[in-house]
Amino acid sequence: MEHIISGVAKFQKDVFPAKKEAFQKLANGQNPEVLFITCADSRIDPNLVTQTEPGELFICRNAGNIVPPHSNQTGGMTASIEFAVAALGVTHIIICGHSDCGAMKGAINTEGLASLPHVKEWLGHSRVATEVVKEKCGCSSLTHEEHLGLVTEENVIQQLQHIKTHPAVAAKIATDQIKLHGWVYDFESAEIKTYDEATREFKPVKDTYEETIAKEEQ
Ligand SMILES: [Zn+2]
């Protein structure tokens, strides 16, 4: 914990003064372009991976980057999504899974979750992903890594479906005001694979956003 406290002190002494103007602008309001939904895993830093600054990403995190389908029961995800979309007016939603995800391992092996009843129930929102992979590939033919990778991808696809059931999101999609993106981040290579709805495949980030990345490399 000590290094966290000294981090706060360092931030206040060195970092904040250097970016004072930017922080002052943000002091009274935010106008993020993107709602970024990812796993609570400590190894993902959305701002680091996307090289963005405070104020640019509205971030929602939970175990498994799950978006429960809309219901009349209010939860933290439902309220945060509604706020980001209807009040802040984000124009993009990124749902980002990741390699070596503990939540996805739990979704594959729910018997191992007997002592974690809430985790088990929460991961019920990922059940479609495990079922789809089972049907498509037959789990026995896959290595553990392959199985986990496919479930992680399928989970992102499933959560993209779920978010479309939220009324505020559905309204913006219907009027072309919002774009959805499904990503999977790999810790080992820093590769981000992105979901292509037309082909139902994940492909490298540079293929999906070719023009933008070409501009960056010039
Ligand atoms: Zn995770």
Side-chain angles (χ1 to χ4, degrees), residues 168-206:
V169 177
K172 299 285 184 186
I173 291 173
T175 50
D176 279 333
Q177 293 181 78
I178 218 164
K179 200 167 180 298
L180 303 183
H181 308 258
W183 292 5
V184 174
Y185 172 66
D186 185 277
F187 291 131
E188 227 173 311
S189 64
E191 178 62 86
I192 290 177
K193 284 199 284 182
T194 57
Y195 180 57
D196 183 340
E197 212 170 4
T199 59
R200 281 191 56 83
E201 278 174 357
F202 278 82
K203 53 188 194 182
V205 69
K206 61 176 182 353

Side-chain angles (χ1 to χ4, degrees), residues 38-44 62-65 96-105 152 187:
T38 192
C39 189
D41 194 294
S42 62
R43 296 166 291 179
I44 308 176
N62 62 56
N65 40 272
C96 184
H98 66 93
S99 58
D100 195 50
C101 183
M104 291 304 103
K105 290 177 189 172
T152 301
F187 291 131

Side-chain angles (χ1 to χ4, degrees), residues 23-44:
F23 283 117
Q24 221 109 57
K25 266 193 207 157
L26 291 172
N28 296 312
Q30 58 171 333
N31 185 26
E33 186 187 4
V34 173
L35 164 60
F36 196 101
I37 297 170
T38 192
C39 189
D41 194 294
S42 62
R43 296 166 291 179
I44 308 176

Side-chain angles (χ1 to χ4, degrees), residues 8-108:
V8 171
K10 185 173 185 288
F11 171 73
Q12 291 173 338
K13 187 169 139 289
D14 303 332
V15 182
F16 185 79
K19 293 183 174 176
K20 206 168 177 180
E21 215 176 299
F23 283 117
Q24 221 109 57
K25 266 193 207 157
L26 291 172
N28 296 312
Q30 58 171 333
N31 185 26
E33 186 187 4
V34 173
L35 164 60
F36 196 101
I37 297 170
T38 192
C39 189
D41 194 294
S42 62
R43 296 166 291 179
I44 308 176
D45 182 338
N47 288 117
L48 181 70
V49 168
T50 59
Q51 289 293 286
T52 46
E53 296 289 329
E56 292 189 75
L57 302 178
F58 188 87
I59 301 171
C60 291
R61 307 184 69 153
N62 62 56
N65 40 272
I66 282 165
V67 178
H70 182 259
S71 75
N72 289 330
Q73 246 180 345
T74 296
M77 284 305 287
T78 306
S80 304
I81 290 165
E82 185 178 77
F83 181 69
V85 172
L88 295 177
V90 298
T91 49
H92 294 269
I93 299 175
I94 298 167
I95 299 181
C96 184
H98 66 93
S99 58
D100 195 50
C101 183
M104 291 304 103
K105 290 177 189 172
I108 290 169

